[in-house]
Amino acid sequence: MSTSPTEAAPPLRLAVVGAGVIGQHHARVAAQHPDLALVALVDAVPAAAVALADEITATGVQRPLTATTIREAVDAVAIDIVAICSPSGMHVDLATAAIAAGKHVLIEKPLDTTIPRARKLAALAASARDRGLVVSVVSQHRFDPASVAVARAAHSGGFGTLTSGVASVAWYRSQGYYDSGDWRGTWALDGGGAVMNQGVHTVDLLVWTLGRPVEVSARTGRLAHERIEVEDTAVATVLFDGGALAVVHCTTAAYPGLSARYQVHGTRGSAIVDDDRLAFFHMAPDDAALVSASTTSGAQAVAGATDQRAEVVPPEHVVGGPSEPDAFLHGHARQYDDLVDAIRDGREPGVTVEAALLSLATVRALYVSATLGVPVRVDDVLSGRYDDVEPMVGPGPGSVLA
């Protein structure tokens, strides 16, 4: 979260669209952010917006306007940014309305549940950019200090040639969790299962760190749940354009539920992030260490290689360190810091729609590969080749594995 507002610039005025759980979170973040002023809450159900306005006002900030549409809100109050926190299937229409009104836009993840609609959002973002508007997609974990440190090392060559990675989300969801809402566990409304719903953030971090994914080979299963359409377990291999290979593992059938973690390996270093905190970090301090390693065998080629994580991030971002106060709020606040700076500096945001589309296409490639039983190129997903494929758990009829 910003430590102080930019002195010469007034706060940017924010409208939050959607007063559900994630919209409530955005409103709470905005109410505490020194560079934002929450001026409007928009929801098709008036009572939901009013209840959230009551809550926010009770914290001591000025009461935001409540409205049922973006048009109603922009006609009533000056707005700089529209945060879209609605169900994913409504993102295109709401983003269109916000951009047409000349507003900067932040879209909650996932970008969408389908590639055709996400492709349409990418075209909207490109047109908005030409008009001087910033459009970004929430991927708040890209701003976690641990992940920033790992990505910086990977992108700068600190880890040498990137060779491999692992993204693993081993969580548990009961049957009751899926039974609690008609939309849960459906392709149409949930967009997928353990990968799309629970693992998308970790997959995104792996894509951000290792580079552009080229091809995905996957298998999925529904092994521990009934009355759901989607997978509760998935495993995939991903080839990246630099040659790195990665494994993606996502499940909601890992009782009692463990962590979400990813790891990155290269010829000069490795790192592990576990539940958003740095669990391991090491870069070769010099070439002499590499020469020594070349004559050593065994699991650890470098005797006494130090874990450098405490030197890389503050203690609250290290596994085993003290907890960060209000960590959940700070995650989104850090992304709002980036959005505010992008708007004021006239630059691209840290997470563009194109980047979000690439991560979504990687997940879609996983589902298509599992359905058809063949490796799937991510560029073919982006181009629309597989738009008509209906995803299934396990190989579908007519697949090479059926």
Side-chain angles (χ1 to χ4, degrees), residues 16 33 45 54 58 60 64 128-129 151 157 176 216 235 246 264 305 348 367 372 396 399 402:
V16 173
H33 199 294
V45 179
D54 290 343
R129 185 186 303 116
V216 181
V235 176
V264 177
E348 286 283 273
Y367 285 139
L372 300 182
S399 79

Side-chain angles (χ1 to χ4, degrees), residues 326-349:
D326 296 323
F328 189 45
L329 289 177
H330 277 269
H332 277 75
R334 282 188 281 263
Q335 179 150 11
Y336 270 112
D337 289 345
D338 173 77
L339 179 62
V340 168
D341 289 345
I343 292 169
R344 289 177 173 167
D345 297 342
R347 64 163 172 82
E348 286 283 273

